[in-house]
Amino acid sequence: SDRWDGGKSASSTMVQRHTTKDVHDLQQVQTVATMKTISAQARRDGRGARFWKNVLLQVTALLLLPSRDQSTVWTCDRAAEGPGRGLPPPFTIDMYSDNEMMRLTRFRVQEVVHLYEALQLPETMRTYRREKYHGLEATIIFLHRMRSAESWDLINRNLGGGNVPGLVRVFWDVVSFIYSKYAWVVTDVSRWERYLVRWAEILSDCDACEEGIIGFIDGTARRTCRPTLLEHLLYNGYYKFHGLKFQGLVAIVGLVIDFFGPVTIKKHDATMYAESGLDGRMHALSQKLNYNLAAYGDPAYARGTHIKHGYGGLLDQVKTFYNTNMNPHRQAVENIYGLVVRDWKYIDNWKVLKTKQAPVGVLYHVAVILANLKTLRHGNNVVQRYCMYDDLPSWEDYLHKTVL
């Protein structure tokens, strides 16, 4: 008989290993052959079109589902028509090498395990649709999504296949967990009080003309998709795009130590500085440490007791010397904003950042936390410039201690 019986007449089942290209070609041939066979069966039996359409979709999904391993794919060849596929192996951290993990998450295997333990994620994470993921697997999914601007289908392929909606749900569960539990670690400069005087002295020793500067302040605008409602609130004629605005105070060690936002992109940097309350926190710290602390910014900020900027207009020799010495330090530290976008590309994929559908401000906040964690472990060019490797706290101290 030329009817396909679903492989029930198979005399044996053989598991073979193929390269990715061979499997891709084989799956295409198998899919076409299976569709032709089922179509002939449908015509003979007179079954409904909707029934056979569902069968075709299920068979196609089974044949084309990728494996966890990108170099090889396990398939199951049957003697009869209608071949099936091998199920992906269960998740284990040993299935990833250090190079593969660095490509997926920006961290090595042991660093991902350490990060999972430091974040104190639950051992088992369940989404609201009852999908169950190991906490370490959820950490890898979260890091890879933040690391990549690719579609969810490609991310699913990189991670070895699975339920795409489940990956989306567990990703947002991890984002919500990190933001709700650790958002405070980048919002208050006061927790760094033990380091501030030393940072100011190091910067003063680098030929800076003014004492007490602990870091560099600046605003940054992140582009988002154009909203359908209240479009005028998210559009800025200067930037020529829709988006949100944030403010960050970056220390000379390359860490964001005070972060504020999001606010509407129409607001000026000086307005954000006033609304953030940073001036009051700097004043309280100055009185507590008996040392006048200040941040250095661009001329958009009004020069005051706790905020400084370069001089403009007609400059004398002293002011020229001040600008010449301070601007290189400010430019070096401002590269941190570029590193955040470079390492965590998902927040730069503005076409999918829809303010009415996703918490864009939360995503950028979490990306800043990840950037700080990466700096604490791997350092950056700013840390190398000031040779401050031994002065950085551990991940556990950074995430759980109120005062460092």
Side-chain angles (χ1 to χ4, degrees):
S1 174
D2 59 347
R3 295 187 179 184
W4 175 57
D5 59 357
K8 296 179 181 179
S9 60
S11 58
S12 63
T13 300
M14 298 180 295
V15 178
Q16 300 178 355
R17 202 172 190 180
H18 305 280
T19 64
T20 304
K21 183 178 183 304
D22 294 338
V23 170
H24 180 72
D25 296 340
L26 177 62
Q27 287 174 344
Q28 287 186 344
V29 174
Q30 292 171 345
T31 302
V32 173
T34 304
M35 287 183 176
K36 290 181 178 179
T37 305
I38 293 180
S39 299
Q41 179 74 16
R43 288 193 297 269
R44 285 192 297 267
D45 295 348
R47 301 299 294 269
R50 181 176 297 179
F51 170 80
W52 292 109
K53 180 181 178 181
N54 293 334
V55 173
L56 288 173
L57 291 177
Q58 294 176 7
V59 172
T60 304
L62 289 177
L63 290 175
L64 298 182
L65 188 65
S67 171
R68 291 183 180 273
D69 191 352
Q70 295 300 299
S71 60
T72 57
V73 179
W74 289 99
T75 61
C76 186
D77 292 338
R78 299 182 184 273
E81 294 176 313
R85 67 166 182 93
L87 293 176
F91 169 79
T92 58
I93 193 64
D94 298 332
M95 64 198 307
Y96 297 102
S97 64
D98 278 343
N99 292 335
E100 181 71 9
M101 189 63 72
M102 283 289 291
R103 184 183 67 83
L104 294 176
T105 67
R106 292 287 187 182
F107 295 102
R108 299 180 180 88
V109 173
Q110 293 302 320
E111 292 171 347
V112 171
V113 176
H114 186 192
L115 180 61
Y116 159 67
E117 296 173 349
L119 291 173
Q120 296 182 354
L121 285 168
E123 183 177 356
T124 301
M125 298 197 67
R126 293 181 181 271
T127 67
Y128 73 92
R129 295 297 297 271
R130 298 184 181 275
E131 292 119 344
K132 184 171 67 173
Y133 292 87
H134 190 277
L136 186 56
E137 184 179 12
T139 304
I140 296 174
I141 295 171
F142 160 72
L143 291 175
H144 185 40
R145 170 71 280 182
M146 294 294 293
R147 161 72 177 84
S148 173
E150 298 173 343
S151 66
W152 275 107
D153 289 334
L154 291 177
I155 288 178
N156 182 39
R157 182 179 296 274
N158 293 338
L159 294 175
N163 182 16
V164 173
L167 297 182
V168 177
R169 285 187 281 267
V170 76
F171 165 75
W172 285 111
D173 285 349
V174 176
V175 169
S176 177
F177 178 88
I178 294 177
Y179 182 78
S180 61
K181 191 171 182 179
Y182 301 109
W184 61 274
V185 301
V186 293
T187 57
D188 190 2
V189 67
S190 303
R191 67 192 302 249
W192 298 90
E193 61 180 36
R194 185 170 66 89
Y195 297 84
L196 298 180
V197 175
R198 181 182 176 187
W199 290 345
E201 292 175 349
I202 291 176
L203 190 59
S204 179
D205 293 340
C206 296
D207 297 328
C209 302
E210 195 160 359
E211 296 183 354
I213 295 179
I214 61 173
F216 301 84
I217 187 172
D218 195 14
T220 180
R222 300 308 317 155
R223 187 175 183 180
T224 63
C225 189
R226 181 178 69 87
T228 55
L229 299 175
L230 304 177
E231 176 184 352
H232 63 283
L233 295 179
L234 296 183
Y235 184 78
N236 186 291
Y238 175 77
Y239 294 107
K240 300 291 190 301
F241 58 71
H242 301 80
L244 299 171
K245 209 167 185 180
F246 303 85
Q247 173 188 279
L249 175 62
V250 184
I252 64 172
V253 292
L255 295 171
V256 180
I257 59 176
D258 197 285
F259 189 72
F260 174 73
V263 298
T264 174
I265 198 173
K266 290 179 174 294
K267 291 193 176 181
H268 193 266
D269 288 354
T271 305
M272 282 198 302
Y273 176 73
E275 293 181 354
S276 66
L278 179 59
D279 190 79
R281 292 191 291 272
M282 297 279 282
H283 181 72
L285 282 172
S286 299
Q287 290 184 333
K288 183 177 181 179
L289 300 175
N290 196 24
Y291 191 89
N292 185 43
L293 303 175
Y296 188 88
D298 54 36
Y301 298 95
R303 192 175 181 88
T305 305
H306 302 294
I307 190 165
K308 311 295 180 183
H309 62 75
Y311 294 98
L314 187 61
L315 303 179
D316 56 19
Q317 185 176 1
V318 176
K319 294 180 179 179
T320 302
F321 182 73
Y322 178 85
N323 291 349
T324 303
N325 285 294
M326 286 301 300
N327 286 337
H329 299 285
R330 172 175 167 265
Q331 293 171 0
V333 177
E334 278 189 347
N335 290 334
I336 299 303
Y337 292 121
L339 294 179
V340 174
V341 176
R342 185 203 69 180
D343 291 338
W344 315 110
K345 295 180 180 179
Y346 186 53
I347 61 173
D348 198 37
N349 189 10
W350 62 270
K351 292 184 179 181
V352 301
L353 298 180
K354 302 177 181 180
T355 53
K356 298 292 289 184
Q357 298 181 10
V360 180
V362 171
L363 278 177
Y364 194 72
H365 204 114
V366 171
V368 171
I369 296 175
L370 289 177
N372 281 355
L373 292 172
K374 185 174 180 292
T375 299
L376 290 173
R377 178 54 60 94
H378 296 160
N380 53 40
N381 58 342
V382 180
V383 180
Q384 296 173 2
R385 177 172 185 150
Y386 299 104
C387 301
M388 302 186 68
Y389 290 103
D390 298 334
D391 199 38
L392 300 178
S394 64
W395 279 353
E396 288 78 8
D397 292 343
Y398 175 74
L399 292 173
H400 300 290
K401 284 188 176 181
T402 306
V403 180
L404 298 172

Coordinates of all heavy atoms in Angstrom, one line a residue, residues 31-85:
T31 N 10.1 17.1 4.6 CA 8.9 17.9 4.8 C 8.0 17.8 3.5 O 6.8 17.6 3.5 CB 9.2 19.3 5.1 OG1 10.0 19.3 6.3 CG2 8.0 20.1 5.4
V32 N 8.7 18.1 2.3 CA 8.0 18.0 1.1 C 7.3 16.7 0.8 O 6.2 16.5 0.4 CB 8.9 18.4 -0.1 CG1 8.2 18.2 -1.4 CG2 9.4 19.9 0.1
A33 N 8.1 15.6 1.1 CA 7.6 14.2 0.9 C 6.4 13.9 1.8 O 5.4 13.3 1.4 CB 8.7 13.2 1.1
T34 N 6.5 14.4 3.0 CA 5.5 14.1 4.0 C 4.2 14.9 3.6 O 3.1 14.3 3.7 CB 5.9 14.5 5.4 OG1 7.1 13.8 5.7 CG2 4.8 14.2 6.4
M35 N 4.3 16.1 3.2 CA 3.2 16.9 2.8 C 2.5 16.3 1.6 O 1.2 16.2 1.5 CB 3.6 18.3 2.4 CG 4.0 19.2 3.6 SD 4.4 20.9 3.2 CE 4.6 21.6 4.8
K36 N 3.2 15.8 0.6 CA 2.6 15.1 -0.6 C 1.9 13.8 -0.1 O 0.8 13.6 -0.6 CB 3.7 14.8 -1.6 CG 4.3 16.0 -2.3 CD 5.3 15.6 -3.3 CE 5.9 16.8 -4.0 NZ 6.9 16.4 -5.0
T37 N 2.5 13.1 0.8 CA 1.8 11.8 1.2 C 0.5 12.1 1.9 O -0.5 11.5 1.7 CB 2.8 11.1 2.1 OG1 4.0 10.8 1.4 CG2 2.2 9.7 2.5
I38 N 0.5 13.1 2.8 CA -0.6 13.4 3.6 C -1.7 14.0 2.7 O -2.9 13.8 2.9 CB -0.3 14.4 4.8 CG1 0.6 13.7 5.8 CG2 -1.5 14.9 5.5 CD1 1.0 14.6 6.9
S39 N -1.3 14.8 1.7 CA -2.3 15.4 0.8 C -3.0 14.2 0.0 O -4.3 14.3 -0.2 CB -1.6 16.3 -0.2 OG -1.1 17.4 0.5
A40 N -2.3 13.2 -0.4 CA -2.9 12.1 -1.1 C -3.8 11.3 -0.2 O -4.9 10.9 -0.6 CB -1.8 11.2 -1.7
Q41 N -3.4 11.2 1.0 CA -4.3 10.5 2.0 C -5.5 11.3 2.3 O -6.6 10.7 2.4 CB -3.5 10.3 3.3 CG -4.3 9.6 4.5 CD -4.4 8.1 4.2 OE1 -3.7 7.6 3.4 NE2 -5.3 7.5 4.9
A42 N -5.4 12.6 2.3 CA -6.6 13.4 2.6 C -7.6 13.3 1.4 O -8.8 13.3 1.6 CB -6.2 14.9 2.8
R43 N -7.1 13.3 0.2 CA -8.0 13.2 -1.0 C -8.8 11.8 -1.0 O -9.9 11.7 -1.4 CB -7.2 13.3 -2.3 CG -6.8 14.8 -2.5 CD -6.3 15.0 -4.0 NE -5.1 14.1 -4.2 CZ -3.9 14.5 -4.1 NH1 -3.6 15.8 -3.6 NH2 -2.9 13.7 -4.3
R44 N -8.1 10.7 -0.6 CA -8.7 9.4 -0.6 C -9.7 9.3 0.5 O -10.8 8.7 0.4 CB -7.6 8.3 -0.5 CG -6.8 8.1 -1.7 CD -6.0 6.8 -1.6 NE -5.0 7.0 -0.5 CZ -3.7 7.4 -0.7 NH1 -3.3 7.7 -1.9 NH2 -2.9 7.4 0.3
D45 N -9.4 9.8 1.7 CA -10.3 9.6 2.8 C -11.4 10.7 2.9 O -12.3 10.5 3.7 CB -9.5 9.7 4.1 CG -8.5 8.5 4.2 OD1 -8.6 7.5 3.4 OD2 -7.6 8.5 5.1
G46 N -11.2 11.8 2.2 CA -12.2 12.8 2.2 C -12.2 13.6 3.6 O -13.3 14.1 4.0
R47 N -11.1 13.7 4.3 CA -11.1 14.4 5.6 C -11.2 15.9 5.3 O -10.9 16.4 4.3 CB -9.8 14.0 6.3 CG -9.7 12.6 6.6 CD -10.8 12.1 7.5 NE -10.8 12.7 8.8 CZ -10.2 12.2 9.9 NH1 -9.5 11.0 9.8 NH2 -10.2 12.8 11.0
G48 N -11.6 16.6 6.3 CA -11.8 18.1 6.2 C -10.4 18.8 6.0 O -9.4 18.3 6.5
A49 N -10.5 19.9 5.4 CA -9.3 20.7 5.1 C -8.6 21.2 6.3 O -7.4 21.2 6.5 CB -9.6 21.8 4.1
R50 N -9.4 21.6 7.3 CA -8.9 22.2 8.5 C -8.1 21.1 9.3 O -7.1 21.4 9.9 CB -10.0 22.7 9.4 CG -9.5 23.4 10.7 CD -10.7 24.0 11.5 NE -11.2 25.1 10.7 CZ -12.3 25.8 11.1 NH1 -12.8 25.5 12.3 NH2 -12.8 26.8 10.4
F51 N -8.7 19.9 9.3 CA -8.0 18.8 10.1 C -6.6 18.5 9.5 O -5.6 18.4 10.2 CB -8.8 17.5 10.0 CG -8.2 16.3 10.5 CD1 -8.1 16.0 11.8 CD2 -7.6 15.4 9.6 CE1 -7.4 14.9 12.3 CE2 -6.9 14.3 10.0 CZ -6.9 14.0 11.4
W52 N -6.5 18.4 8.1 CA -5.3 18.1 7.5 C -4.3 19.3 7.5 O -3.1 19.1 7.6 CB -5.5 17.6 6.1 CG -6.2 16.3 6.0 CD1 -7.4 16.0 5.6 CD2 -5.6 15.0 6.5 NE1 -7.7 14.7 5.8 CE2 -6.5 14.0 6.3 CE3 -4.3 14.7 7.0 CZ2 -6.3 12.7 6.6 CZ3 -4.1 13.3 7.3 CH2 -5.1 12.4 7.1
K53 N -4.8 20.5 7.6 CA -4.0 21.7 7.7 C -3.3 21.6 9.1 O -2.1 21.9 9.2 CB -4.8 22.9 7.6 CG -4.0 24.2 7.7 CD -4.8 25.5 7.6 CE -4.0 26.7 7.8 NZ -4.8 27.9 7.7
N54 N -4.0 21.3 10.1 CA -3.4 21.2 11.5 C -2.3 20.1 11.5 O -1.3 20.2 12.1 CB -4.4 20.9 12.5 CG -5.4 22.1 12.7 OD1 -5.0 23.2 12.4 ND2 -6.6 21.8 13.1
V55 N -2.6 19.0 10.8 CA -1.6 17.9 10.8 C -0.3 18.3 10.1 O 0.8 18.1 10.5 CB -2.2 16.6 10.1 CG1 -1.2 15.6 9.9 CG2 -3.4 16.1 10.9
L56 N -0.5 19.0 9.0 CA 0.7 19.5 8.2 C 1.5 20.5 9.1 O 2.7 20.4 9.1 CB 0.2 20.2 7.0 CG -0.3 19.3 5.8 CD1 -0.8 20.2 4.7 CD2 0.8 18.4 5.3
L57 N 0.8 21.4 9.8 CA 1.6 22.3 10.7 C 2.3 21.6 11.8 O 3.5 22.0 12.1 CB 0.6 23.3 11.3 CG -0.1 24.3 10.3 CD1 -1.1 25.2 11.0 CD2 1.0 25.2 9.6
Q58 N 1.7 20.6 12.4 CA 2.4 19.9 13.4 C 3.6 19.1 12.9 O 4.7 19.1 13.5 CB 1.4 18.9 14.1 CG 0.3 19.6 14.8 CD -0.7 18.6 15.4 OE1 -0.5 17.4 15.3 NE2 -1.9 19.2 15.9
V59 N 3.4 18.4 11.8 CA 4.6 17.7 11.2 C 5.7 18.6 10.8 O 6.9 18.4 11.1 CB 4.1 16.9 10.0 CG1 5.3 16.3 9.2 CG2 3.1 15.8 10.4
T60 N 5.4 19.8 10.2 CA 6.4 20.7 9.8 C 7.1 21.3 11.0 O 8.4 21.4 11.0 CB 5.7 21.9 9.0 OG1 5.0 21.4 7.9 CG2 6.8 22.9 8.6
A61 N 6.4 21.6 12.1 CA 7.1 22.1 13.3 C 8.0 21.0 13.9 O 9.1 21.4 14.4 CB 6.0 22.5 14.3
L62 N 7.6 19.8 13.9 CA 8.5 18.7 14.4 C 9.7 18.6 13.6 O 10.8 18.4 14.1 CB 7.7 17.4 14.5 CG 6.6 17.3 15.5 CD1 5.9 16.0 15.4 CD2 7.1 17.5 16.9
L63 N 9.6 18.6 12.3 CA 10.7 18.4 11.4 C 11.7 19.6 11.4 O 12.9 19.3 11.3 CB 10.3 18.2 10.0 CG 9.5 16.9 9.7 CD1 9.0 16.8 8.3 CD2 10.4 15.7 10.0
L64 N 11.3 20.8 11.6 CA 12.1 21.9 11.5 C 12.6 22.5 12.9 O 13.2 23.5 12.9 CB 11.4 23.0 10.7 CG 11.0 22.7 9.3 CD1 10.4 23.9 8.6 CD2 12.3 22.2 8.5
L65 N 12.2 21.9 14.0 CA 12.6 22.4 15.3 C 14.1 22.2 15.4 O 14.6 21.1 15.3 CB 11.9 21.7 16.4 CG 12.1 22.2 17.8 CD1 11.5 23.6 17.9 CD2 11.4 21.3 18.8
P66 N 14.9 23.3 15.8 CA 16.4 23.1 15.9 C 16.8 22.4 17.1 O 16.0 22.2 18.1 CB 16.9 24.6 15.9 CG 15.7 25.3 16.4 CD 14.5 24.6 16.0
S67 N 18.1 22.0 17.1 CA 18.6 21.3 18.3 C 19.4 22.3 19.1 O 19.7 23.4 18.7 CB 19.6 20.2 17.9 OG 20.3 19.7 19.0
R68 N 19.7 21.9 20.4 CA 20.5 22.8 21.2 C 21.9 23.0 20.7 O 22.5 24.1 20.9 CB 20.5 22.3 22.7 CG 19.2 22.3 23.4 CD 19.4 21.8 24.8 NE 18.1 21.8 25.5 CZ 17.6 22.9 26.2 NH1 18.3 24.0 26.2 NH2 16.5 22.8 26.8
D69 N 22.5 22.0 20.1 CA 23.9 22.1 19.7 C 23.9 22.7 18.2 O 23.2 22.1 17.4 CB 24.5 20.7 19.7 CG 26.0 20.8 19.5 OD1 26.5 21.9 19.1 OD2 26.7 19.8 19.6
Q70 N 24.6 23.8 18.0 CA 24.6 24.4 16.7 C 25.5 23.7 15.7 O 25.3 23.8 14.5 CB 25.0 25.9 16.8 CG 24.0 26.7 17.6 CD 22.7 26.7 17.0 OE1 22.5 27.1 15.8 NE2 21.7 26.2 17.7
S71 N 26.5 22.9 16.2 CA 27.4 22.3 15.3 C 26.8 21.0 14.7 O 27.1 20.6 13.6 CB 28.7 22.0 16.0 OG 28.6 21.2 17.1
T72 N 26.1 20.3 15.6 CA 25.5 19.0 15.2 C 24.0 18.9 15.6 O 23.6 19.6 16.5 CB 26.2 17.8 15.8 OG1 26.2 18.0 17.2 CG2 27.7 17.8 15.3
V73 N 23.3 18.1 14.9 CA 21.8 18.0 15.3 C 21.5 16.5 15.3 O 22.0 15.7 14.4 CB 20.9 18.7 14.2 CG1 19.5 18.4 14.5 CG2 21.3 20.1 14.1
W74 N 20.8 16.0 16.3 CA 20.4 14.6 16.4 C 19.1 14.5 15.7 O 18.1 15.2 16.0 CB 20.3 14.2 17.9 CG 21.6 14.1 18.5 CD1 22.2 15.0 19.3 CD2 22.5 13.0 18.4 NE1 23.4 14.6 19.8 CE2 23.6 13.3 19.2 CE3 22.5 11.8 17.8 CZ2 24.7 12.5 19.4 CZ3 23.6 11.0 17.9 CH2 24.7 11.3 18.7
T75 N 19.0 13.5 14.8 CA 17.7 13.2 14.1 C 17.5 11.7 14.2 O 18.3 10.9 14.5 CB 17.8 13.6 12.6 OG1 18.8 12.8 12.0 CG2 18.0 15.1 12.4
C76 N 16.2 11.4 14.0 CA 15.8 10.0 14.2 C 15.3 9.5 12.8 O 14.2 10.0 12.3 CB 14.7 9.9 15.2 SG 14.2 8.2 15.6
D77 N 16.0 8.6 12.1 CA 15.6 8.1 10.8 C 14.8 6.8 11.0 O 15.2 5.9 11.7 CB 16.8 7.8 10.0 CG 17.5 9.1 9.6 OD1 16.9 10.2 9.6 OD2 18.7 9.1 9.2
R78 N 13.6 6.8 10.3 CA 12.8 5.6 10.4 C 12.8 4.9 9.0 O 13.0 5.5 8.0 CB 11.4 6.0 10.8 CG 11.3 6.6 12.2 CD 9.9 6.9 12.6 NE 9.8 7.6 13.9 CZ 9.8 7.0 15.0 NH1 9.8 5.7 15.1 NH2 9.7 7.7 16.1
A79 N 12.5 3.6 9.1 CA 12.6 2.8 7.8 C 11.4 3.2 6.9 O 11.4 3.1 5.7 CB 12.6 1.3 8.1
A80 N 10.2 3.5 7.6 CA 9.0 3.8 6.8 C 9.0 5.3 6.5 O 9.8 6.1 7.0 CB 7.8 3.4 7.6
E81 N 7.9 5.8 5.8 CA 7.7 7.2 5.6 C 7.3 7.9 6.8 O 6.9 7.3 7.8 CB 6.7 7.3 4.5 CG 7.1 6.8 3.1 CD 5.9 6.9 2.1 OE1 4.8 6.6 2.5 OE2 6.2 7.4 1.0
G82 N 7.4 9.2 6.8 CA 7.1 10.0 8.0 C 8.1 10.0 9.1 O 7.8 9.6 10.2
P83 N 9.4 10.4 8.8 CA 10.4 10.3 9.8 C 10.1 11.3 10.9 O 9.6 12.4 10.6 CB 11.7 10.7 9.0 CG 11.2 11.5 7.9 CD 9.9 10.9 7.5
G84 N 10.5 11.0 12.1 CA 10.4 11.9 13.2 C 11.7 12.7 13.5 O 12.5 12.8 12.6
R85 N 11.8 13.2 14.7 CA 13.0 13.9 15.0 C 13.5 13.5 16.5 O 12.6 13.1 17.3 CB 12.8 15.4 15.0 CG 11.8 15.9 16.1 CD 11.9 17.4 16.2 NE 11.0 17.8 17.3 CZ 11.3 17.9 18.6 NH1 12.6 17.7 18.9 NH2 10.5 18.3 19.5

